[in-house]
Amino acid sequence: MDAKPLGTDRDDRTDRTKKKRTELAHFLRSRRAALSPEDVGLVTSARRARVGLRREEVAVLAGVSASWYAWLEQGRPIKVSDGILDAISRALRLGEPERVHLYRLADANPPLPLSDPDLPDSGLFQRMVDTQLLGPACVIDRYWQVLAVNEPASELLGLGRDGADDNFLTSLFTGSHGERYLNRTEVARRMTARFRLQSSYGADDARYEEMADRLAEGDSRFAELWERHEVEEFGPITVELDHPEEGPVPFVLFTMDLDEAARTRLLVYLPPGISGPAAAWP
């Protein structure tokens, strides 16, 4: 296989950066053109013929200089802080998906939503795990609260039963759920690292800190793992569960985001020997 010429990767990155700046400029102009002065509470002359907001008006609404905003809309290579991006989002009345899109075009980390949009009814998640999945499965929210769990997961993991803690992470340390893992130490370490990474994306969300503090106070194992400050992406891992009838059984645990902001996640335990839709859970 021929090696890439020196500088090719750098040139590719430069081209992608230029393309992003062009898309950012086009996006800002299109959002500005979609608004009228009346939409943002500005009073203008009745003779005004131009449709949409002027650059100067967006700059005033965002609290930045007109020349700086013009450079941004022209795709010039300037750095933009998260605070400025949020100010521009408010000035242009961007919705949550548009706000995330703006962050990405500006090469900034996409933010968590400013407000929690309505999630699908939990009954929809329950139907999915009950009817479409062969093995144990559950749906959790961004705080690891269990929203839906199918019967195999309830039997094998002890989730969703009367009196059970319906938080996946908490019950891993302090509930009967954690006792089902024969490799509990490794699972606990990796789930803590995932929670640590997730909480960094929601640094302004006090609930993550509250969860960590509460767990650290109630369980020394979590406190020790949290202190390590390990981080890990959500990906497939092997877990070994104590099956009530078959004894130790290895599973591959898959985690899949169900929406763009990872407000809900699907956890599927792939049983050994499952090879097609006709297979059934023991």
Side-chain angles (χ1 to χ4, degrees):
M1 185 175 181
D2 295 335
K4 282 187 176 183
L6 290 176
T8 299
D9 289 339
R10 184 173 62 251
D11 292 342
D12 289 344
R13 287 194 298 271
T14 300
D15 290 343
R16 288 195 295 270
T17 299
K18 288 180 178 178
K19 182 178 180 181
K20 269 191 173 182
R21 288 175 187 157
T22 300
E23 291 186 4
L24 173 62
H26 182 268
F27 178 64
L28 290 172
R29 290 196 298 268
S30 69
R31 295 307 90 200
R32 177 166 60 84
L35 291 172
S36 68
E38 292 77 14
D39 291 333
V40 296
L42 295 178
V43 178
T44 60
S45 169
R47 297 181 177 180
R48 177 167 172 167
R50 178 178 297 187
V51 177
L53 294 179
R54 294 177 175 139
R55 284 177 178 170
E56 296 80 4
E57 292 168 336
V58 176
V60 169
L61 291 169
V64 299
S65 71
S67 58
W68 185 92
Y69 182 77
W71 295 339
L72 183 65
E73 213 177 83
Q74 290 165 1
R76 295 197 188 185
I78 56 178
K79 289 290 185 180
V80 191
S81 69
D82 290 359
I84 293 297
L85 289 174
D86 280 342
I88 292 172
S89 296
R90 290 191 294 271
L92 293 174
R93 303 299 192 266
L94 300 184
E96 290 293 352
E98 293 173 319
R99 178 171 167 259
V100 170
H101 186 59
L102 173 64
Y103 264 72
R104 287 177 172 158
L105 292 179
D107 275 333
N109 289 326
L112 288 174
L114 291 172
S115 58
D116 284 327
D118 293 335
L119 293 175
D121 185 275
S122 59
L124 185 63
F125 293 135
Q126 191 63 52
R127 285 175 53 199
M128 176 180 65
V129 297
D130 283 341
T131 63
Q132 301 300 312
L133 298 166
L134 297 170
C138 64
V139 176
I140 61 174
D141 67 13
R142 68 168 63 171
Y143 304 111
W144 298 56
Q145 204 67 22
V146 177
L147 303 178
V149 56
N150 64 4
E151 187 60 29
S154 180
E155 291 180 359
L156 190 59
L157 302 173
L159 294 172
R161 293 186 171 179
D162 293 340
D165 187 342
D166 282 335
N167 187 281
F168 188 94
L169 184 65
T170 301
S171 62
L172 180 62
F173 286 92
T174 63
S176 60
H177 164 213
E179 297 171 359
R180 308 299 177 93
Y181 297 91
L182 298 177
N183 60 335
R184 183 179 187 177
T185 300
E186 177 65 8
V187 173
R189 183 187 68 81
R190 300 188 70 171
M191 290 300 174
T192 301
R194 294 176 181 204
F195 181 69
R196 171 68 84 171
L197 181 63
Q198 182 184 9
S199 66
S200 70
Y201 289 118
D204 295 330
D205 191 336
R207 186 166 172 181
Y208 287 112
E209 184 177 357
E210 292 168 2
M211 286 179 63
D213 288 345
R214 188 167 56 250
L215 257 174
E217 290 174 3
D219 191 278
S220 59
R221 292 167 299 182
F222 178 84
E224 180 184 348
L225 291 170
W226 190 249
E227 190 64 24
R228 294 184 189 179
H229 211 121
E230 295 179 355
V231 294
E232 179 180 310
E233 292 281 1
F234 285 82
I237 63 172
T238 299
V239 300
E240 191 172 17
L241 292 168
D242 186 13
H243 192 281
E245 297 178 359
E246 301 183 12
V249 179
F251 290 80
V252 176
L253 171 57
F254 285 91
T255 307
M256 291 165 275
D257 294 344
L258 296 180
D259 59 83
E260 181 67 20
R263 292 184 299 269
T264 51
R265 285 190 166 102
L266 172 65
L267 278 64
V268 179
Y269 292 76
L270 182 64
I274 296 293
S275 58
W281 169 248

